[in-house]
């Protein structure tokens, strides 16, 4: 029976740990994170799954602490796996397992190496992403690829919806290759990093909408940061306008010649963006309160500092 140490968090961590257990891997230790009380915890718990199976769980602040590395080395693992663990693992840790260290990344490497790959893929209007199991090296997401699984990104998919697809893709990729990996038959394909891309993390402030951008770009931002992520927003005289969902633009042009304008037509709220394209806003909050049905009598100060226009 192969022995493994697993660094894991989030839904991908839960599903991939489940795959290891289903294949009879002896998980010696699970290393995870303590949930941050300031963060909205909308995902499943790796620690709870490990506890159900009687697997010891630790939550170190620094996984590369020499004392911890020595403790894990004493377990003599065959494999080390990282499934959406948030901290970088350094060379001493990666050198522990006899049969290799492997990470599951939420993109089709070498594209979208780095942080929050699902969100970045949506922002850039990609129509496909997926999950990649690769060998771990000190450089982020740069090791040889042993398995990939693609999933589609539909034009109105939010990051939450795509992340759920990527979670399933990760489970499928690991489940398919694990027998060969455990038997030493898996073949790693080197990445051409020059053909890929790398992106850093994102902050809540990065959800600020620039309405002078094309309608398609604004739509991509809205769905890339839609709840449970922090959301897309603009600040207005009446408080913060949060746009939680929009509809992929049809190509229809608005009446304001590309001057960004928020207006009402036939009871629906639209934004005309910088390219003149119309974007229908499906779910909007102003100063924390939902905006429901719109009418000529339901005017708010627009995000651009002028009264909202009502068009019949």
């Amino acid at each position: 029976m192969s022995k493994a140490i697993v660094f894991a968090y989030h839904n991908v961590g839960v599903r991939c740990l489940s795959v290891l257990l289903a294949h009879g891997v002896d998980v010696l230790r699970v290393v995870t994170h303590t949930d941050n009380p300031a963060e909205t915890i909308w995902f499943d718990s790796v620690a709870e799954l490990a506890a159900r199976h009687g697997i010891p769980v630790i939550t170190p602040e620094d996984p590369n602490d020499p004392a911890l590395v020595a403790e894990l080395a004493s377990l003599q693992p065959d494999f080390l796996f990282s499934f959406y663990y948030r901290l970088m693992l350094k060379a001493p840790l990666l050198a522990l397992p006899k049969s290799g260290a492997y990470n599951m990344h939420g993109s089709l490497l070498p594209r979208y190496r780095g942080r929050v790959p699902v969100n970045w893929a949506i922002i850039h209007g990609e129509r496909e992403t997926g999950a990649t199991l690769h060998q771990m090296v000190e450089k982020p997401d740069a090791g040889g690829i042993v398995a990939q699984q693609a999933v589609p990104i539909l034009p109105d998919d939010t990051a939450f919806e795509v992340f759920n697809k990527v979670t399933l893709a990760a489970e499928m990729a690991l489940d398919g290759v694990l027998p060969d990996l455990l038997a030493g038959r898996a073949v790693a394909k080197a990445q051409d990093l020059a053909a890929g891309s790398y992106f850093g993390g994102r902050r809540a402030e990065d959800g600020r909408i620039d309405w002078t951008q094309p309608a398609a770009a604004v739509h991509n931002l809205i769905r890339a940061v839609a709840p449970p992520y922090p959301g897309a927003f603009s600040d207005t005289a009446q408080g913060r306008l949060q746009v939680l969902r929009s509809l992929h633009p049809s190509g229809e042009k608005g009446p304001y010649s590309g001057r960004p304008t928020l207006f009402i037509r036939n009871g629906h709220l639209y934004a005309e963006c910088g390219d003149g394209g119309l974007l229908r806003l499906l779910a909007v909050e102003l100063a924390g309160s939902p905006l429901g049905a719109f009418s000529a009598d339901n005017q708010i100060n627009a995000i651009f500092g002028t009264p909202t226009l009502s068009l019949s």
Side-chain angles (χ1 to χ4, degrees), residues 10-11 39-44 86 159-160 163-164 227-229:
H10 221 290
N11 289 352
E39 182 178 357
T40 301
I41 306 299
W42 53 269
F43 42 84
D44 295 332
R86 291 177 169 178
F160 175 72
F163 183 79
N164 287 339
Y229 298 97

Side-chain angles (χ1 to χ4, degrees), residues 149-231:
Q149 177 65 49
V151 294
I153 302 176
L154 303 184
D156 288 317
D157 281 347
T158 66
F160 175 72
E161 291 164 340
V162 176
F163 183 79
N164 287 339
K165 297 181 191 183
V166 169
T167 299
L168 179 57
E171 180 178 340
M172 293 173 66
L174 181 62
D175 187 66
V177 78
L178 194 56
D180 284 343
L181 202 62
L182 298 178
R185 297 188 300 263
V187 177
K189 178 182 177 182
Q191 294 190 55
D192 180 4
L193 299 185
S197 53
Y198 183 90
F199 293 91
R202 293 183 58 82
R203 305 164 300 150
E205 176 62 24
D206 295 328
R208 184 178 295 276
I209 301 170
D210 178 0
W211 296 97
T212 67
Q213 291 291 306
V218 175
H219 174 65
N220 288 341
L221 174 64
I222 290 167
R223 63 199 186 102
V225 298
Y229 298 97

Side-chain angles (χ1 to χ4, degrees), residues 40 50 155 170 246 299:
T40 301
S246 56
Q299 292 192 337

Side-chain angles (χ1 to χ4, degrees), residues 12 84 104-109 111-112 117-118 121 126-133 147-153 162-171 173:
V12 169
Y84 268 57
M104 184 66 74
H105 184 71
S107 78
L108 298 176
L109 293 176
R111 305 192 68 191
Y112 296 99
V118 166
E126 301 288 356
R127 287 300 307 272
E128 182 182 63
T129 189
T132 303
L133 185 69
Q148 281 190 325
Q149 177 65 49
V151 294
I153 302 176
V162 176
F163 183 79
N164 287 339
K165 297 181 191 183
V166 169
T167 299
L168 179 57
E171 180 178 340

Side-chain angles (χ1 to χ4, degrees), residues 21 26-30 46-57:
L21 297 174
D26 182 12
V27 179
L28 305 170
R29 192 80 83 250
V30 165
V46 167
E48 289 180 6
L49 174 62
R52 286 201 298 270
H53 289 270
I55 303 169
V57 176

